[in-house]
């Protein structure tokens, strides 16, 4: 299968390793370090993730030639009250123009024989490669032809994952994000596409708990190497033509700006903003959220379209805080 971008992102791989070293991930499973190899037995996937919300890193190598198959299986247990919100390809190293396969099935086993693949028992799956670095492939996995299918995050339960590379060896770094249910929802999704061809997205990670104070908002599908920052308000809006441009502002009323967290989208086209529910920016300072209050968020970012510098917004995200 052909890969649109066979080159690898060394900078992204290094940033991923640095993030883990700084404790960004709640845990990791790396086949190059103890306890080493993931299970090759589809009836007994290796358990890797059972509780903590947040991002978890899996680094695995597969090789599917008949001379020596190395197919990896691992088991994720999503606890009650949480869901698996994303499966992001953080790095992929493989032969040029080669892609790999990632499948998922509900329960503690994979019911598909890789020698005679039939997707019917699977919830879903996706072919991926270097062109997917930085991409959440979970939505695409839910559309696999012949599989059961799913939309949105995977709810509490056990999920077996199947990593397969039918060709030269490949190594993938997967970031699995466990988030609390009740993390809000997108709205105002019919804005102006940015220079990537789509409307920038926004999602919440962590929990909506004020006491836990572990909420993050991730903006994605943004232009690379563009600066942006988050804005917030208690009031939703739908305002066209912001700054003399046909851009859709999804907030109204008192709008706060996260000036202290201005960030570049870098080579991934995404940024993550830390949200302190006790200090939400507002025009006259900061304000603490109250349990039961719904706040609305959006990310403003720079863009270039038709050779001209402009700006745009992601869609909106509405979230109700909990105690």
């Amino acid at each position: 299968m052909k890969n649109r971008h066979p080159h690898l992102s060394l900078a992204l791989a290094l940033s991923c390793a640095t993030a883990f070293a700084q404790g960004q991930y709640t845990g990791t499973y790396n086949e190059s370090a103890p306890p080493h190899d993931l299970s090759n037995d589809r009836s007994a996937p290796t358990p890797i993730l059972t509780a903590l919300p947040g991002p978890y890193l899996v680094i695995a190598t597969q090789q599917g030639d008949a001379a020596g198959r190395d197919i990896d299986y691992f088991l994720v247990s999503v606890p009650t009250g949480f869901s698996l919100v994303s499966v992001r390809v953080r790095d992929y190293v493989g032969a040029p123009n080669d892609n790999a396969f990632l499948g998922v099935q509900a329960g503690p086993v994979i019911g598909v024989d890789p020698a005679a693949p039939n997707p019917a028992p699977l919830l879903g799956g996706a072919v991926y490669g270097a062109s997917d670095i930085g991409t959440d492939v979970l939505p695409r996995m839910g559309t696999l032809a012949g599989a059961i299918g799913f939309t949105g995050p995977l709810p509490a339960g056990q999920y077996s994952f199947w990593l397969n590379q039918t060709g030269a060896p490949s190594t993938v770094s997967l970031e699995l994000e466990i988030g609390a249910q009740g993390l809000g929802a997108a709205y105002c999704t019919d804005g102006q596409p940015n220079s990537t061809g789509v409307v920038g997205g926004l999602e919440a990670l962590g929990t909506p708990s004020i006491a836990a104070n572990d909420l993050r908002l991730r903006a994605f599908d943004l232009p690379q190497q563009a600066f942006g920052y988050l804005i917030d308000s208690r009031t939703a809006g739908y305002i066209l033509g912001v700054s003399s441009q046909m851009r859709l502002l999804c907030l109204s009323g008192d709008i706060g700006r996260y000036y202290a967290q201005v960030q570049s989208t870098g080579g991934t086209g995404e940024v993550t903003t830390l949200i302190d529910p006790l200090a939400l920016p507002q025009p006259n300072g900061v304000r603490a959220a109250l349990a039961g209050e719904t706040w609305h968020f959006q990310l403003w970012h720079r863009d270039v379209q038709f050779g001209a510098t402009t700006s745009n917004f992601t869609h909106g995200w509405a979230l109700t805080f909990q105690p």
Side-chain angles (χ1 to χ4, degrees):
M1 300 178 193
K2 298 299 181 183
N3 191 331
R4 296 189 303 272
H5 306 290
H7 63 279
L8 300 174
S9 175
L10 177 60
L12 183 59
L14 292 174
S15 68
C16 184
T18 301
F20 176 69
Q22 295 174 346
Q24 175 177 332
Y25 294 105
T26 60
T28 188
Y29 194 108
N30 189 340
E31 284 197 303
S32 67
H36 299 299
D37 195 34
L38 289 167
S39 173
N40 297 330
D41 183 356
R42 60 190 176 92
S43 67
T46 300
I48 64 160
L49 181 61
T50 58
L52 293 176
Y56 189 100
L57 190 66
V58 180
I59 304 174
T61 298
Q62 310 82 49
Q63 194 272 331
D65 287 343
R69 298 180 70 85
D70 179 15
I71 301 174
D72 291 326
Y73 301 97
F74 63 86
L75 179 68
V76 172
S77 296
V78 180
T80 301
F82 293 83
S83 58
L84 178 63
V85 298
S86 63
V87 177
R88 192 169 303 280
V89 179
R90 281 304 180 191
D91 197 19
Y92 177 85
V93 180
N97 302 320
D98 273 359
N99 284 342
F101 177 76
L102 176 64
V104 61
Q105 181 172 336
V109 302
I110 290 288
V112 180
D113 182 354
N118 174 8
L122 299 178
L123 284 175
V127 173
Y128 67 93
S131 62
D132 293 301
I133 290 175
T135 299
D136 175 14
V137 296
L138 189 63
R140 196 164 83 232
M141 292 175 70
T143 66
L144 178 67
I148 296 170
F150 63 89
T151 58
L154 293 176
Q158 289 188 315
Y159 300 96
S160 296
F161 284 83
W162 166 25
L163 288 162
N164 196 13
Q165 171 74 58
T166 55
S170 66
T171 298
V172 63
S173 298
L174 294 174
E175 179 189 281
L176 289 82
E177 177 83 29
I178 300 291
Q181 295 175 359
L183 273 175
Y187 73 98
C188 193
T189 58
D190 54 344
Q192 175 73 26
N194 59 49
S195 55
T196 69
V198 299
V199 179
L202 196 63
E203 67 177 357
L205 305 171
T207 71
S209 166
I210 296 173
N213 196 2
D214 61 354
L215 181 65
R216 310 179 305 285
L217 286 176
R218 186 181 70 87
F220 54 94
D221 288 339
L222 305 178
Q224 295 183 7
Q225 310 300 337
F227 286 97
Y229 60 82
L230 201 70
I231 56 179
D232 67 16
S233 176
R234 283 292 319 282
T235 309
Y238 193 95
I239 304 172
L240 288 172
V242 179
S243 300
S244 302
Q245 312 255 351
M246 288 305 293
R247 305 294 183 252
L248 183 56
L249 177 63
C250 302
L251 310 181
S252 62
D254 292 333
I255 297 176
R257 294 166 172 79
Y258 285 72
Y259 288 132
Q261 294 194 61
V262 175
Q263 301 176 70
S264 170
T265 61
T268 65
E270 64 177 66
V271 296
T272 298
T273 304
L274 303 177
I275 306 298
D276 183 353
L278 300 179
L280 297 170
Q282 288 288 273
N284 297 318
V286 297
R287 178 185 160 179
L290 300 178
E293 279 188 345
T294 298
W295 283 72
H296 303 83
F297 300 88
Q298 196 173 17
L299 187 118
W300 169 92
H301 63 87
R302 283 292 184 190
D303 199 5
V304 176
Q305 296 197 16
F306 307 107
T309 300
T310 181
S311 61
N312 207 333
F313 296 98
T314 64
H315 62 58
W317 191 268
L319 182 143
T320 301
F321 284 97
Q322 300 175 5

